[in-house]
Amino acid sequence: MFKPIDRRTALTNLALIIGGAALLPACDKPAGKASIALKKISIDADQEQFIADVAETIIPKTDTPGAKDLKVHLFVMKMVDDCFSPDDQKAFVDGLDKMAKQAKDKLGKPFGQATQQQREAFLTEIDNKKIQQKKDSQVKGKSGNATPQDDVLAFYSMVKGETIFGYTYSKYFMTKQIVYELVPGRYNPKLPVSQLKRVS
Amino acid sequence: MANLNTEAIKQHTFDAIVIGSGMSGGWAAKEFTEKGLNTLMLERGRDVKHLVDYPTTNMYPYEFAHRGQIPYDVQQANPVMNRCYIFHEDAEHFCVKDAQHPYVQEKPFDWIRGYQVGGKSLLWARQTQRWSDYDFEGPARDGFAVDWPIRYKDIAPWYSYVEKFAGIAGNRDGLDNLPDGEFLPGFPLNVVEQYFSNFVAKNYPGRHVISARCAHLSKPNQIHLDQGRAKCQNRVLCQRGCPFGGYFSANSSTIPWALKTGKLTLRPFSVVQEIIYDDAKNKATGVRIIDTNTKQVMEFYAKVIFVNAAAINTNLVLLNSKSKRFPNGLGNDSGVLGKYVAFHNYRARAWGEYDGEMEWTTDGRNPAGGGYLPRFRNVKKQETNFLRGYAAGFSAYRQMQTDENGVGESLKRNLMNPKLSGWKVGSHMMGETIPKETNTVSLDESKKDEWGVPQLKINISYDDNDEKMIKDYQEQMTEMFTKAGFKNVNVMDSKQAPGLDIHEMGGCRMGNDPKTSMLNKWHQMHAVNNVFVTDGASMTSTSTQNPSLTYMAFTARAVDYAVSEMKKGNI
């Protein structure tokens, strides 16, 4: 129902807008909120953008959708918020800020403003560390909790793991790429590999 | 006033009361109602109606908020349930939450429960292997527990009876230690499972790898269609409840069948506090329940009572049913109630890889899960340094694998083009444990649950026999796998606590002698002839087979006997 605004309300609204505007310069940047409700971790709009940029670098848009198109970064945030331990959550948030700073120092500009190539090069270095760490832990065996993960590596590992998970378990991927069959209706115990379709 | 009371008592009076609505309770209700008895079925949890109450059954993986994962806080709040393989986002609503249903672990015991209509029959692994006399004769031959008061010939016709109705897929393998049943077509082994089966048959006399027999409608008969069930569609999402009724559950089969007779009253939200015993009549007259919604305590009466609350809860109900005549629990003259509890030893696994048969793979999903090795240790005589033996699962599979290293377009391409792995093989052990007097469940009189029922104290552990059996399983599987040409063969011992096998049995065992057992050969209490126990609590020993099929057969047989005794005026 439309209600004409009276003068008093209009003035109040104006005062609120001006008041808000007056407060703005006091902040370094507007503390925008994350676009989804989070219960445990605190992520602001800039941090969300950073997660999105990292996810998009991991799975970029090509002639098919990338991580951002599929909102995979929001899935990453939700998973970290709901399914990770407080320790992991802390490492995620700490590592996020550290990695954003590292990227800025190295690339000479914020991560999001770098080219895909630059961003890939930056992440590949961390990815290689992750690969090496995995190799080391395999050598040491499961008991060897020896290598303490630095926060940047922890953050990266979480974002990458959940990005791949979110992407390969997205509706797009499960209906257009590797089709998931809810009802196979068959069991063939002996199929020639040459006849295998890309279904999961 | 007097009239009103009479009327109320009449409304609360039935011919038969069945405590529990799961695997065995469902069968009791079906059998009683088909025989024309007005039957009350009590279930402590909520109702789960076939098709209607399977909220996740048709959901795609991407429709789950966490793609199947259980949130961290929920995991932390449910340490016991969290160890169960069924505890994922798609079946979480069928899982009992630890805090709501506390119990005392004097030793670690993962008590996995299904508190709803249908119980764990909704969630079971659907394996259905018959026992043979090598199993029933175990305690007598090897000198543990007490002799089973029945033999294979007593139960064989009832296996057939329940198999025809439930629908069991399997092959006629002709093994004397795992008798054939009334089978629908079996699910075939894949090429590597078949290779291993042939290899074992040729190189290990007395050992066999068969297709696991399972409660799936591979090719339904009219009796299954009449239940409203249809052919199994190979979804292998059974724990969500099946929209096709493709596997057997109380929800899809026995309970709707019983309801159709018009003779069944199904009462969910009813926690049984105790069975009421009348000293003068020397009979149980009914049960006292608490309605979990209203917290009202109510009584129901019947001529005969079947206790099918699931092994451990059946013990609880009986232990808590105290009277002047039975101060230590109903029918417990022998003092064995709550003792000699046993389970299955599922601790060990073996796995490896195979680089043969690379031109073949599988397509679709196999509800049977692959192969089954019936017990081959100490079958005909004692051969090892441990008693009894183990069965084993065996399966072979190829996976779609992706190189997840790197970032960017190359990673994306890899994700879109997973590669078929080589063959992997795996096995898990299903060991018989020996019932011991010291493996007990008892009441904690100081701690009560929300409904005023004492909490259960569970004191159950592995023993040296189990440890030796694990070692033997690991050695034998390693040898068979290696000789068969499998590579990278590995074994492990999960050290999991008893209970996680979800095959807890005993505590109210059958036996010939009332001095050392609770139930006679008809599952009837020695001391109270109108109370029967036909679930896992009645097991004298455990053997190695997945026990549900045996409970079904026990139940149908016991109801048949109970009703004939009622007709003769003996009950």
Side-chain angles (χ1 to χ4, degrees):
Chain A
M1 194 165 52
F2 181 74
K3 219 166 115 189
I5 300 175
D6 65 24
R7 190 168 170 272
R8 189 193 298 260
T9 310
L11 281 175
T12 315
N13 285 350
L14 188 65
L16 279 174
I17 292 163
I18 293 165
L23 278 173
L24 263 183
C27 303
D28 246 5
K29 50 187 175 184
K33 278 185 175 170
S35 58
I36 55 168
L38 298 168
K39 285 171 287 188
K40 300 280 178 60
I41 55 171
S42 163
I43 298 283
D44 66 26
D46 285 351
Q47 290 170 317
E48 175 177 323
Q49 185 60 46
F50 182 70
I51 297 165
D53 290 335
V54 172
E56 181 70 16
T57 309
I58 294 167
I59 298 177
K61 181 186 183 81
T62 52
D63 53 347
T64 61
K68 273 189 195 170
D69 292 327
L70 300 171
K71 298 198 183 339
V72 172
H73 58 293
L74 300 184
F75 174 75
V76 173
M77 285 155 55
K78 185 171 178 57
M79 288 301 284
V80 173
D81 194 44
D82 287 347
C83 295
F84 283 65
S85 69
D87 283 352
D88 284 342
Q89 287 167 342
K90 186 177 181 314
F92 180 88
V93 176
D94 291 351
L96 187 160
D97 289 338
K98 273 186 210 162
M99 189 166 130
K101 190 175 174 306
Q102 269 180 20
K104 201 173 172 185
D105 292 349
K106 197 152 196 169
L107 302 170
K109 55 189 151 189
F111 184 76
Q113 288 170 24
T115 65
Q116 168 75 12
Q117 210 178 2
Q118 288 169 323
R119 283 183 278 132
E120 268 185 33
F122 177 78
L123 289 190
T124 300
E125 214 171 288
I126 304 173
D127 202 82
N128 287 337
K129 260 196 227 169
K130 183 168 134 69
I131 295 167
Q132 189 56 46
Q133 197 189 46
K134 201 177 161 193
K135 272 186 197 156
D136 292 347
S137 74
Q138 274 166 355
V139 172
K140 280 169 196 149
K142 233 183 155 184
S143 59
N145 201 10
T147 19
Q149 277 209 341
D150 68 86
D151 289 347
V152 171
L153 201 53
F155 167 75
Y156 175 74
S157 296
M158 284 184 254
V159 174
K160 186 172 183 190
E162 296 308 308
T163 296
I164 290 175
F165 186 33
Y167 175 69
T168 54
Y169 275 69
S170 66
K171 184 177 182 183
Y172 160 77
F173 194 83
M174 288 191 140
T175 55
K176 298 288 193 302
Q177 289 296 334
I178 307 231
V179 177
Y180 172 83
E181 289 185 314
L182 191 64
V183 185
R186 66 183 183 285
Y187 177 63
N188 182 350
K190 193 175 180 184
L191 181 83
V193 167
S194 56
Q195 288 174 28
L196 189 67
K197 284 184 295 180
R198 288 200 314 185
V199 293
S200 61
Chain B
M1 207 53 197
N3 275 342
L4 198 65
N5 271 338
T6 315
E7 191 56 31
I9 287 171
K10 219 163 93 186
Q11 277 174 15
H12 281 207
T13 301
F14 296 82
D15 297 323
I17 291 175
V18 178
I19 301 172
S21 67
M23 195 59 82
S24 62
W27 271 98
K30 172 187 171 292
E31 297 304 304
F32 273 127
T33 55
E34 276 192 306
K35 290 176 194 292
L37 276 72
N38 273 318
T39 305
L40 173 68
M41 177 187 258
L42 297 168
E43 164 54 49
R44 63 178 298 149
R46 67 188 172 98
D47 196 7
V48 173
K49 286 195 174 65
H50 184 49
L51 308 180
V52 178
D53 292 319
Y54 303 156
T56 60
T57 191
N58 285 321
M59 282 171 70
Y60 281 83
Y62 48 82
E63 292 176 309
F64 292 95
H66 307 96
R67 306 296 187 268
Q69 289 188 15
I70 299 285
Y72 180 82
D73 287 354
V74 182
Q75 288 190 33
Q76 293 299 303
N78 297 281
V80 171
M81 197 63 225
N82 194 38
R83 285 192 278 273
C84 178
Y85 69 99
I86 223 85
F87 196 50
H88 295 290
E89 224 170 7
D90 64 342
E92 188 195 346
H93 49 290
F94 295 140
C95 297
V96 165
K97 304 301 180 292
D98 292 14
Q100 288 165 16
H101 300 281
Y103 62 99
V104 181
Q105 299 182 55
E106 293 186 309
K107 289 178 187 150
F109 186 91
D110 291 330
W111 189 15
I112 307 299
R113 296 156 285 175
Y115 288 166
Q116 62 251 328
V117 168
K120 287 175 291 187
S121 80
L122 258 182
L123 307 168
W124 65 315
R126 311 166 308 284
Q127 296 282 309
T128 43
Q129 333 296 340
R130 284 189 182 200
W131 279 41
S132 76
D133 273 337
Y134 296 117
D135 307 305
F136 285 112
E137 287 170 0
R141 191 193 79 182
D142 293 345
F144 63 91
V146 291
D147 189 13
W148 277 88
I150 55 167
R151 288 295 181 266
Y152 181 65
K153 67 173 172 18
D154 299 306
I155 198 73
W158 295 100
Y159 271 136
S160 293
Y161 179 79
V162 297
E163 282 166 346
K164 282 180 200 164
F165 188 82
I168 307 297
N171 297 318
R172 300 190 68 80
D173 300 295
L175 309 178
D176 62 352
N177 55 337
L178 201 78
D180 290 331
E182 309 289 334
F183 294 146
L184 307 173
F187 291 94
L189 297 176
N190 66 35
V191 286
V192 171
E193 289 160 355
Q194 190 60 55
Y195 160 75
F196 188 59
S197 173
N198 297 344
F199 174 84
V200 168
K202 204 174 139 196
N203 294 282
Y204 291 90
R207 301 188 190 185
H208 305 272
V209 179
I210 63 166
S211 173
R213 298 158 184 177
C214 63
H216 282 260
L217 300 180
S218 54
K219 194 178 168 214
N221 289 329
Q222 191 58 45
I223 186 65
H224 308 121
L225 302 175
D226 290 348
Q227 295 168 39
R229 298 169 57 199
K231 186 175 185 293
C232 169
Q233 295 297 309
N234 309 76
R235 295 170 11 122
V236 194
L237 298 172
C238 314
Q239 69 281 359
R240 300 179 181 183
C242 181
F244 301 96
Y247 73 94
F248 172 87
S249 66
N251 312 68
S252 68
S253 179
T254 45
I255 292 174
W257 194 262
L259 284 168
K260 226 163 51 180
T261 64
K263 297 279 185 185
L264 180 67
T265 302
L266 173 57
R267 195 176 203 290
F269 301 113
S270 306
V271 168
V272 172
Q273 293 181 325
E274 63 176 306
I275 295 168
I276 307 161
Y277 179 78
D278 187 318
D279 283 313
K281 290 181 188 159
N282 189 27
K283 272 186 192 310
T285 51
V287 295
R288 188 170 295 119
I289 68 137
I290 179 164
D291 184 304
T292 57
N293 291 319
T294 64
K295 305 275 168 172
Q296 195 188 347
V297 175
M298 306 166 89
E299 290 182 358
F300 294 95
Y301 312 100
K303 297 185 192 83
V304 63
I305 295 164
F306 264 56
V307 194
N308 300 87
I312 289 182
N313 268 323
T314 287
N315 276 282
L316 170 64
V317 168
L318 296 174
L319 285 165
N320 201 41
S321 302
K322 290 174 185 171
S323 56
K324 214 159 128 196
R325 165 76 179 79
F326 295 111
N328 302 314
L330 188 66
N332 192 16
D333 286 337
S334 61
V336 299
L337 179 62
K339 297 175 180 169
Y340 299 97
V341 180
F343 54 98
H344 280 157
N345 176 357
Y346 270 46
R347 266 169 47 184
R349 287 175 181 274
W351 68 96
E353 292 168 8
Y354 185 52
D355 51 20
E357 306 287 1
M358 288 296 279
E359 65 274 37
W360 303 104
T361 185
T362 61
D363 185 34
R365 297 176 210 138
N366 181 2
Y372 181 91
L373 279 91
R375 177 166 68 94
F376 54 85
R377 282 307 204 193
N378 305 321
V379 177
K380 307 219 161 141
K381 59 180 195 317
Q382 183 63 34
E383 299 156 333
T384 64
N385 67 346
F386 55 88
L387 288 180
R388 313 307 295 162
Y390 48 85
F394 174 76
S395 61
Y397 54 96
R398 300 182 77 170
Q399 287 170 315
M400 291 307 241
Q401 283 180 335
T402 309
D403 177 2
E404 293 186 354
N405 290 331
V407 299
E409 267 189 69
S410 65
L411 171 66
K412 197 177 176 190
R413 240 188 338 267
N414 288 343
L415 294 174
M416 287 175 175
N417 296 287
K419 303 275 182 289
L420 195 61
S421 75
W423 286 98
K424 298 175 188 224
V425 295
S427 167
H428 65 280
M429 82 177 284
M430 298 173 266
E432 176 164 359
T433 70
I434 308 298
K436 294 183 297 266
E437 194 176 5
T438 48
N439 273 353
T440 64
V441 295
S442 56
L443 301 182
D444 189 322
E445 300 292 355
S446 63
K447 290 188 185 135
K448 299 210 168 168
D449 70 14
E450 209 183 320
W451 306 278
V453 180
Q455 288 185 24
L456 256 180
K457 288 192 290 192
I458 304 185
N459 189 330
I460 294 172
S461 57
Y462 293 99
D463 62 18
D464 185 50
N465 201 62
D466 302 320
E467 302 296 337
K468 285 177 181 157
M469 207 184 283
I470 288 166
K471 194 163 167 276
D472 188 68
Y473 164 87
Q474 292 178 332
E475 286 168 4
Q476 292 304 308
M477 293 314 293
T478 301
E479 184 194 303
M480 288 191 281
F481 275 16
T482 307
K483 278 194 179 168
F486 299 156
K487 305 274 160 60
N488 299 324
V489 175
N490 264 300
V491 294
M492 61 89 89
D493 173 359
S494 70
K495 305 269 182 191
Q496 68 186 40
L500 204 54
D501 43 289
I502 328 183
H503 286 178
E504 58 274 11
M505 290 174 246
C508 183
R509 70 184 179 190
M510 298 172 79
N512 288 311
D513 186 351
K515 288 196 194 73
T516 55
S517 63
M518 291 285 295
L519 310 170
N520 68 16
K521 64 178 176 178
W522 301 107
H523 292 256
Q524 183 180 30
M525 276 194 166
H526 290 301
V528 189
N529 78 353
N530 68 334
V531 175
F532 291 72
V533 176
T534 66
D535 64 10
S538 67
M539 299 293 275
T540 306
S541 68
T542 72
S543 197
T544 58
Q545 290 87 331
N546 308 65
S548 292
L549 180 72
T550 300
Y551 305 161
M552 296 190 219
F554 281 171
T555 306
R557 176 174 173 271
V559 172
D560 188 65
Y561 174 78
V563 173
S564 77
E565 285 295 285
M566 289 164 91
K567 279 184 186 154
K568 286 181 204 157
N570 293 337
I571 292 179

